[in-house]
Amino acid sequence: MTIKSDIAASLAVDMKGVQDLRAQLKSDPQAGVKTAAQEFEALFLQQVMKSMRATTSQDGLMDNDSTRFFTGMLDQQMAQDLSRSGSLGLAQMLEAQLSQRLAGTTGTGSESTASISAGLPADLPLTMPKGTGSSSGIQGSVGRAAALKEYMASGTAVAGDTVAPQTPKEFVEQVWPHAVEASRNTGIPPQFLVAHAALESGWGKRDIRNADGSASHNLFGIKAGKSWQGDTTDVLTTEYTDGVAQKQTETFRSYGSYGEAFQDYANLLRDNPRYGQVIGSQDGTEFARRLQQAGYATDPKYAEKLSSIINGSTLRQAR
């Protein structure tokens, strides 16, 4: 029996499936993606069942910790079986998305796995949801699904950041989870933050480069002032003085990942008093105008350019 059929036939409580999936991802990434997509769908179904059960009382005369424990096991197995049947179609959609990323990668090893990982949910749960039983082997389904993300991330600095985006859609896919997190810290809609990164980086194609040619991941063109303690890179850029464009060399911050860039950007907007009016902006045009008024850039048409991306069709279609 092959690894693939072993996993397909295994029970949700079988922890051996975690190791089997890791082995499958290494030996046959395409087949591993298919199996992992089913696991993600099973996790989703399990959460649905948990929510449904939460609407009914489980404190009856015949209810106790043991019955709730085995009910959780039953729900997990039912979710696993439903996912294998393919009746929902969620697994197929996820498989198609991840397979497309895999097919579009020319590298091998960590490069190809990083490309797939860029399409995975950033908040993939790595532990069993509360209330479904946490002892013994019933974390098997979660463990097998989490194995995909763990394997994809291994051997790379940041999953997804090693593959340069070729289209606005690919760019949005890579940065969206980071934009959502930055949105939580600033109160600014994530699509506004993505649009700002797209303006500064040309949808990821004009990423500022370090001296050795590697990516600085500086998506927002943030310069390195005297207080900056991290890595830097010197780049020839265009600045405007009295409305006149001039070329000059500036020192910019360099990050290890897009995630670090978004985090630093969010900190800048949140902690610097000059951007106080920018925080919490809910209108795209107003957000762009306030950024320019705060002195984010010297380009006199900066707000106009940013607003056109926020309200334009390219970003809508990419999302």
Side-chain angles (χ1 to χ4, degrees):
M1 183 177 289
T2 64
I3 291 178
K4 180 178 179 180
S5 58
D6 280 339
I7 299 175
S10 65
L11 296 173
V13 300
D14 181 17
M15 285 299 291
K16 181 177 177 294
V18 178
Q19 299 301 326
D20 289 343
L21 178 55
R22 289 194 179 99
Q24 187 178 43
L25 285 165
K26 292 179 181 179
S27 62
D28 189 349
Q30 186 64 60
V33 163
K34 180 180 180 65
T35 303
Q38 291 181 344
E39 297 293 343
F40 280 118
E41 184 179 66
L43 283 174
F44 171 74
L45 290 172
Q46 190 177 338
Q47 288 293 327
V48 172
M49 292 180 182
K50 178 186 175 184
S51 298
M52 293 173 62
R53 291 199 183 278
T55 63
T56 60
S57 174
Q58 297 187 29
D59 296 321
L61 182 63
M62 303 300 294
D63 293 320
N64 53 51
D65 290 341
S66 295
T67 60
R68 285 188 284 270
F69 174 81
F70 286 107
T71 297
M73 292 180 63
L74 175 63
D75 288 348
Q76 186 176 352
Q77 189 61 52
M78 289 177 61
Q80 194 89 346
D81 293 340
L82 283 171
S83 178
R84 292 186 192 125
S85 71
S87 56
L88 289 183
L90 179 61
Q92 291 90 328
M93 292 174 60
L94 181 58
E95 179 189 354
Q97 179 184 0
L98 299 182
S99 296
Q100 184 177 14
R101 300 190 68 87
L102 179 64
T105 309
T106 57
T108 59
S110 62
E111 291 183 0
S112 59
T113 56
S115 177
I116 300 173
S117 183
L120 300 182
D123 56 350
L124 169 66
L126 300 183
T127 58
M128 178 66 85
K130 294 181 180 179
T132 55
S134 59
S135 61
S136 196
I138 68 172
Q139 295 188 25
S141 179
V142 177
R144 287 203 295 270
L148 174 66
K149 189 172 185 180
E150 174 187 328
Y151 173 71
M152 297 303 181
S154 64
T156 62
V158 176
D161 286 359
T162 58
V163 181
Q166 300 300 310
T167 65
K169 180 177 177 59
E170 289 184 6
F171 177 75
V172 172
E173 287 177 350
Q174 286 195 17
V175 304
W176 185 259
H178 309 307
V180 171
E181 182 63 29
S183 175
R184 296 192 186 105
N185 295 329
T186 62
I188 302 170
Q191 61 267 30
F192 295 1
L193 308 182
V194 171
H196 196 188
L199 173 62
E200 286 286 348
S201 69
W203 299 95
K205 293 183 178 181
R206 296 198 308 268
D207 188 6
I208 295 174
R209 294 285 160 176
N210 295 315
D212 62 359
S214 61
S216 72
H217 299 103
N218 191 335
L219 293 173
F220 298 95
I222 301 178
K223 296 175 184 176
K226 295 181 180 179
S227 62
W228 176 249
Q229 300 298 315
D231 294 334
T232 64
T233 182
D234 294 332
V235 177
L236 183 66
T237 186
T238 301
E239 298 291 344
Y240 290 80
T241 303
D242 296 328
V244 179
Q246 298 177 343
K247 292 290 185 179
Q248 58 189 67
T249 300
E250 297 285 352
T251 301
F252 291 85
R253 301 181 184 186
S254 181
Y255 308 100
S257 70
Y258 287 159
E260 290 182 15
F262 269 89
Q263 182 180 10
D264 188 50
Y265 170 70
N267 292 340
L268 175 68
L269 296 185
R270 186 188 59 207
D271 299 338
N272 193 323
R274 65 190 283 190
Y275 298 112
Q277 297 299 315
V278 177
I279 294 297
S281 297
Q282 297 300 305
D283 179 85
T285 302
E286 190 69 10
F287 166 70
R289 185 182 65 81
R290 290 176 178 178
L291 265 181
Q292 181 165 351
Q293 288 180 338
Y296 193 92
T298 58
D299 184 350
K301 294 186 177 180
Y302 196 79
E304 179 183 339
K305 294 175 181 178
L306 177 54
S307 179
S308 67
I309 295 178
I310 293 175
N311 300 310
S313 60
T314 301
L315 180 60
R316 287 198 302 270
Q317 293 172 1
R319 290 175 56 203

